[in-house]
Amino acid sequence: NGEKMFITNGAWADVITIFAKIDGEQFTGFIVEKGTPGMSAGKEEKKMGIHGSSTVPIILQDAKVPVENVLGEIGKGHKIAFNVLNVGRWKLGAACVGGCKQVLGHTVRYVKERKQFGQPLADFEIIQQKIADCVIRTYVTESMMYRYAGALDDAIATLEKSDADYDKKVLQMIEEYAIEASICKVYGSEAMDFVADEGVQMHGGYGYIEEYPVEAFYRNSRINRIFEGTNEINRMIIPGTLLKRAMKGEIDLMGEIQRILAQLKEGFPQESDQRTLVNRINLVNQAKKLAVYVSGVAVQKYMADIKDRQSFMVAMADFIIEVYAMESALLRALQLMKQQGEEKSRIAIAATKVYVTEKCAELLTMAKQFCANVAKGDNEAYAKYEKAIDRILEVKPIDTLDLRMPIAQHALEHDGYAV
Ligand SMILES: Cc1cc2nc3c(=O)[nH]c(=O)nc-3n(C[C@H](O)[C@H](O)[C@H](O)COP(=O)(O)OP(=O)(O)OC[C@H]3O[C@@H](n4cnc5c(N)ncnc54)[C@H](O)[C@@H]3O)c2cc1C
């Protein structure tokens, strides 16, 4: 018995998947058909957006479900629930890429048409910078989604379909990519919100009017940071899962921290010319080391209690998310360059250069702030951290404003995102 709020399409679904405890203990999945006595749908919610879907509470009052409707095994419902969530989180991120592209299409067409001060909005530098920012964010998000899907496909392809445990092994593979799924969800939903917000802004007052499609994108986008686990909860899952795996010995986090500490004495390879794409590989590798270093600083200070220090967990998640984002963009640009040459890949290359350079500079500041929080006013301890951070990651500013121009131009020529 009970009530579950906010069930998508609950009002018209013929079949509903319900997770409940048997004898108050064994968490189990059930397939429940519409019309089952004791199961009913509550009143339709009036929502901010996604008006095309139904959202209702599902109410269970002495509902009887036949034993053959148990989904999977009794007491193993969490395996199904978590894996549905994992793939669902990636799918949400991928859907956000579609949303970003749609907003870019509507916005680019609008800024080419609308004239202010005697010229199209598209001719203004600020508008061009905004368009480039939206393209860059979309490109990075798309690269992450392809990467997750490709990696999972490749992993599943190694399994033997005739194996009696094939399905179980597929579930295990999906579970292996739980961190990436959360990363895709958080990054995709925030990218979509960023692009929708800038889309409205570039429309000016018209962006606030229902008649213009960007208004609906702005409202519809907002739910993505809330459902499939809020972004706060997903941010906690990312380092939480990583630390759990490290504790079980599945990944050698402590060994990696030790290697970085040893390397600190010798110094790290730094590229003198950070303008080329290939040299961004080193920058991203160093950013990865910085993420491990700051995680090590926090773990060393708080040990097992780190999971209760939410601010540090969230900061660790942000490092991990950004490293995955930068690396995905970079790997894709390098692959495109290999496949189709530099000229045809120039937008992907420019987007990657801007993103990696600016994000690395941000991570540097974030790392110092993070360590200042850990040091808690101990100047000597902070000075040690700061010295290490500066040794690990050295970012040389490059002209990222000019790099944005061809990105914007390309979107204007193609009436939207066309990387
Ligand atoms: C339109 C819509 C459709 C939905 N569809 C479905 C569906 O089909 N099936 C389904 O099962 N659910 C569905 N949901 C539910 C949705 O997944 C939850 O609303 C969401 O996970 C957040 O839970 P909550 O609403 O209880 O918020 P709360 O858990 O109360 O969270 C409120 C705030 O507190 C934060 N918070 C919560 N716990 C912690 C913590 N431990 N530490 C730090 N911060 C915390 C959250 O991040 C959030 O910012 C839907 C919701 C909506 C609005």
Side-chain angles (χ1 to χ4, degrees):
N1 290 337
E3 190 172 325
K4 174 68 182 82
M5 293 300 290
F6 307 143
I7 300 305
T8 301
N9 297 334
W12 53 62
D14 291 324
V15 177
I16 298 185
T17 311
I18 294 182
F19 293 93
K21 284 179 182 164
I22 294 179
D23 298 331
E25 274 179 16
Q26 291 165 299
F27 187 71
T28 307
F30 299 90
I31 301 167
V32 187
E33 287 172 64
K34 188 180 186 168
T36 297
M39 182 177 77
S40 59
K43 220 172 95 219
E44 189 68 48
E45 302 289 355
K46 292 194 174 102
K47 306 191 291 284
M48 178 193 288
I50 56 167
H51 294 152
S53 73
S54 150
T55 308
V56 293
I58 292 292
I59 303 147
L60 296 162
Q61 184 60 51
D62 299 331
K64 297 235 180 301
V65 180
V67 72
E68 59 269 25
N69 285 25
V70 165
L71 184 60
E73 291 172 50
I74 288 174
K76 300 269 171 72
H78 59 282
K79 287 203 174 211
I80 301 163
F82 288 144
N83 277 309
V84 168
L85 274 175
N86 282 334
V87 180
R89 284 172 182 155
W90 168 76
K91 280 199 290 189
L92 184 149
C96 286
V97 177
C100 291
K101 289 181 182 177
Q102 293 266 330
V103 171
L104 262 163
H106 289 298
T107 305
V108 164
R109 287 191 292 276
Y110 181 80
V111 297
K112 279 165 73 173
E113 220 176 272
R114 166 90 170 152
K115 286 202 172 84
Q116 279 296 42
F117 303 97
Q119 62 188 97
L121 291 177
D123 288 356
F124 294 115
E125 204 175 287
I126 294 175
I127 296 288
Q128 290 170 8
Q129 296 286 337
K130 281 184 189 293
I131 288 182
D133 281 338
C134 292
V135 171
I136 294 167
R137 206 65 82 91
T138 307
Y139 165 77
V140 174
T141 316
E142 190 179 53
S143 307
M144 294 162 81
M145 302 307 145
Y146 277 141
R147 185 182 183 187
Y148 170 98
L152 189 57
D153 271 356
D154 287 349
I156 290 174
T158 63
L159 301 176
E160 201 54 66
K161 276 204 172 132
S162 55
D163 186 339
D165 285 336
Y166 178 78
D167 290 339
K168 223 182 243 172
K169 287 181 179 165
V170 168
L171 281 187
Q172 274 167 3
M173 289 288 186
I174 294 173
E175 211 175 319
E176 281 227 11
Y177 286 89
I179 296 175
E180 287 86 343
S182 285
I183 292 174
C184 287
K185 193 271 173 184
V186 171
Y187 194 93
S189 59
E190 291 175 6
M192 172 77 239
D193 264 2
F194 171 82
V195 172
D197 185 73
E198 287 292 35
V200 168
Q201 196 66 18
M202 283 186 266
H203 276 73
Y206 295 93
Y208 203 69
I209 305 300
E210 276 183 15
E211 199 185 321
Y212 288 77
V214 287
E215 182 269 349
F217 277 99
Y218 184 82
R219 282 184 293 102
N220 292 339
S221 166
R222 191 60 186 84
I223 187 62
N224 291 312
R225 280 161 52 202
I226 297 170
F227 60 16
E228 298 281 345
T230 63
N231 282 15
E232 290 76 21
I233 295 295
N234 272 286
R235 276 192 161 87
M236 301 286 285
I237 289 172
I238 294 164
T241 309
L242 204 71
L243 291 171
K244 243 186 251 161
R245 287 182 186 171
M247 236 106 84
K248 280 200 227 158
E250 288 170 10
I251 52 165
D252 185 19
L253 184 63
M254 287 307 153
E256 189 55 24
I257 292 170
Q258 290 310 323
R259 276 188 287 280
I260 291 169
L261 292 178
Q263 253 188 311
L264 265 174
K265 293 190 190 110
E266 302 153 21
F268 295 93
Q270 304 283 359
E271 305 293 345
S272 55
D273 182 2
Q274 291 184 348
R275 281 169 301 179
T276 65
L277 188 68
V278 170
N279 284 350
R280 294 293 196 297
I281 300 172
N282 188 48
L283 210 54
V284 172
N285 281 341
Q286 289 306 114
K288 209 184 278 185
K289 287 188 178 132
L290 187 62
V292 176
Y293 176 77
V294 294
S295 304
V297 166
V299 170
Q300 209 175 24
K301 172 107 178 186
Y302 297 107
M303 307 305 273
D305 291 342
I306 184 72
K307 61 181 187 333
D308 301 320
R309 301 304 312 260
Q310 292 194 335
S311 306
F312 290 109
M313 293 288 276
V314 164
M316 278 157 68
D318 284 337
F319 272 100
I320 296 166
I321 292 168
E322 284 306 342
V323 166
Y324 190 79
M326 288 193 292
E327 197 175 52
S328 305
L330 179 64
L331 289 172
R332 185 172 171 208
L334 289 168
Q335 202 171 357
L336 282 173
M337 217 161 81
K338 208 162 100 186
Q339 280 170 357
Q340 56 184 32
E342 206 162 327
E343 175 51 28
K344 278 194 181 150
S345 320
R346 67 197 167 85
I347 303 304
I349 294 171
T352 305
K353 283 180 177 177
V354 173
Y355 194 77
V356 170
T357 306
E358 293 185 351
K359 271 299 157 197
C360 279
E362 252 177 59
L363 290 184
L364 210 52
T365 311
M366 265 170 64
K368 289 180 184 175
Q369 188 57 55
F370 184 96
C371 288
N373 294 339
V374 173
K376 291 209 175 308
D378 178 345
N379 291 340
E380 212 176 300
Y382 176 72
K384 203 181 92 198
Y385 295 143
E386 191 181 37
K387 199 168 154 202
I389 292 167
D390 285 333
R391 283 195 83 137
I392 296 172
L393 188 63
E394 195 187 322
V395 191
K396 295 192 177 73
I398 59 166
D399 183 358
T400 49
L401 287 183
D402 260 12
L403 270 174
R404 280 182 168 82
M405 289 308 176
I407 300 174
Q409 214 47 51
H410 188 263
L412 288 165
E413 278 163 22
H414 291 82
D415 274 346
Y417 180 86
V419 177

